[in-house]
Amino acid sequence: AFGGDPRSPESPITDRERDLAASIQVVAEEILLRMGRHAHELTGEDRLCLAGGVALNCVANGRILREGPFQELWIQPASGDSGGALGAALLANYQILGQKRIVTGRDTQRGSFLGPAFSDDQIERELKKAEATYSRFEDDAELCHAVSEDLARGHVIGWFQGPMEFGPRALGSRSILGDPRRPDMQTTMNLKIKYRESFRPFAPAVLADRASEHFELSPETESPYMLLVAPVRRDSQGPSGSEVSSPNLMDELRAIGGPLPAVTHVDGSARIQTVDEGRNPLFHALLKAFEAQTGCPVLINTSFNVRGEPIVRTPGEAYRCFLATEMDALVAGHFYLTKAKNRSMDRQTVEAHLSRFSLD
């Protein structure tokens, strides 16, 4: 449609690719803003609900919230074709079976933690089967304290807990975590953990009651499903955050400053997940422990997988991904595994595994 060949993955990013991506994004945002305004004119409603694949465009969602006529915005976290499963269940429940719909005024999707969960006994059976070496914590507080200490040292942690998320975002059940204060952490996690292009940004998970201190969100705005982009606060980001202009995208990324460089994109924004105790008490406890350790209520949160691979579902898949990457530790349930005590996969096995998946 625009002439010329598509860019190959991992090839240099030229002004043509940058301009095309920016232009398509701006047009999409304008269309969505106009649709939102039109819906508001037709209905007079001040709350907007979004679903469908385009609703995963979190930059556009952030503009709708900031610039649109709506007081509240809610986005179905499994937007796209897979979310039709929820729609079918709701249709059957309310319109076919005639069940009464109770409106509570709050999100009742339970954090989208609707997938399979594994008990400590099930996790331990899989770890023993894999001949893994591990230690066990009996107490959540001790576990979170140990993990927060390792994160503060710059370790990258695989975090496998509770029911799996329904939808494309890891929300603190099948996540890879890191310290957002470290300027090199974005490149490290992209190249050594995710095996993907190093310009790609990571999302911050932040304590819900502290989000407005670090990002340009109102205190009452929630983003539990990582579907809103907002600017990092100028006083939080620092003066170098988005003021370096260079033909080399990586030069711009390296110039990002401030206390949260690993989750601040080149335009000074971040894709935010707010974490509250009600939806995910253990992940909330970990963020509290990290804040107590460092003064920072934010962690990098990216999906527990490598390039193109589905997010890990089982303890065995988590252990394989842990061995196949340069992750420092794996926390599965109450079990703690370090790379120092578990043999990494040889490079040939890793490459054979990665070759099954295309770059996304």
Side-chain angles (χ1 to χ4, degrees), residues 22-348:
S23 300
I24 293 168
Q25 177 67 26
V26 167
V27 171
E29 290 171 11
E30 184 60 30
I31 291 170
L32 289 169
L33 282 165
R34 292 187 185 193
M35 290 174 68
R37 295 187 188 110
H38 182 62
H40 183 262
E41 290 172 3
L42 288 177
T43 66
E45 297 289 345
D46 60 4
R47 295 185 177 100
L48 177 66
C49 177
L50 296 174
V54 178
L56 295 174
N57 190 319
C58 21
V59 177
N61 294 341
R63 284 196 65 191
I64 292 171
L65 183 64
R66 291 191 302 274
E67 303 173 33
F70 301 99
Q71 295 180 14
E72 292 183 54
L73 181 63
W74 189 84
I75 305 117
Q76 209 284 91
S79 291
D81 292 347
S82 63
L86 288 181
L90 293 169
L91 173 73
N93 191 52
Y94 295 122
Q95 296 192 22
I96 297 175
L97 299 179
Q99 299 293 328
K100 183 179 179 181
R101 179 170 176 260
I102 300 172
V103 179
T104 65
R106 285 190 55 80
D107 168 27
T108 56
Q109 196 157 321
R110 302 190 324 203
S112 208
F113 300 113
L114 306 176
F118 298 85
S119 67
D120 278 347
D121 287 344
Q122 290 174 308
I123 292 171
E124 188 166 29
R125 280 198 296 271
E126 290 213 30
L127 293 178
K128 285 182 175 179
K129 183 179 178 181
E131 299 181 343
T133 301
Y134 55 85
S135 57
R136 179 171 183 163
F137 288 84
E138 300 299 332
D139 179 78
D140 285 351
E142 289 183 5
L143 176 72
C144 289
H145 178 73
V147 176
S148 67
E149 283 192 327
D150 274 355
L151 288 166
R153 294 187 188 104
H155 291 187
V156 178
I157 309 288
W159 181 255
F160 182 96
Q161 302 291 342
M164 187 178 180
E165 303 90 340
F166 178 54
R169 308 286 185 231
L171 301 171
S173 280
R174 306 291 187 270
S175 293
I176 300 174
L177 308 175
D179 185 346
R181 303 169 303 160
R182 294 176 174 267
D184 61 343
M185 187 57 74
Q186 182 197 28
T187 299
T188 296
M189 291 180 71
N190 268 327
L191 296 181
K192 295 186 176 182
I193 312 297
K194 302 290 282 188
Y195 298 117
R196 68 185 193 182
E197 295 172 299
S198 56
F199 72 87
R200 294 177 59 162
F202 288 112
V206 57
L207 290 171
D209 59 355
R210 304 294 303 281
S212 62
E213 299 174 18
H214 296 273
F215 308 99
E216 291 185 16
L217 288 174
S218 63
E220 62 273 10
T221 297
E222 296 183 318
S223 181
Y225 301 120
M226 206 184 283
L227 287 171
L228 287 177
V229 163
V232 179
R233 288 203 173 276
R234 296 291 297 179
D235 53 351
S236 174
Q237 180 186 329
S240 62
S242 58
E243 296 175 0
V244 174
S245 180
S246 168
N248 187 322
L249 183 60
M250 294 311 300
D251 287 343
E252 294 187 37
L253 283 170
R254 282 188 284 268
I256 292 174
L260 301 174
V263 294
T264 303
H265 198 31
V266 288
D267 62 356
S269 70
R271 187 182 73 200
I272 300 156
Q273 177 196 2
T274 57
V275 180
D276 59 83
E277 189 174 11
R279 290 185 178 92
N280 195 335
L282 186 60
F283 194 36
H284 183 269
L286 177 61
L287 280 161
K288 292 286 284 185
F290 187 72
E291 182 186 30
Q293 179 80 20
T294 65
C296 177
V298 185
L299 285 172
I300 296 172
N301 179 13
T302 189
S303 56
F304 200 147
N305 62 343
V306 294
R307 66 177 194 197
E309 179 185 32
I311 298 175
V312 300
R313 182 180 66 89
T314 68
E317 290 172 355
Y319 184 63
R320 182 189 65 197
C321 187
F322 164 62
L323 295 183
T325 66
E326 296 183 45
M327 233 178 285
D328 297 290
L330 166 64
V331 183
H334 287 87
F335 301 97
Y336 207 107
L337 299 83
T338 63
K339 188 58 64 68
K341 294 183 179 180
N342 289 271
R343 183 180 298 176
S344 297
M345 285 185 188
D346 63 85
R347 194 65 210 169
Q348 186 175 359

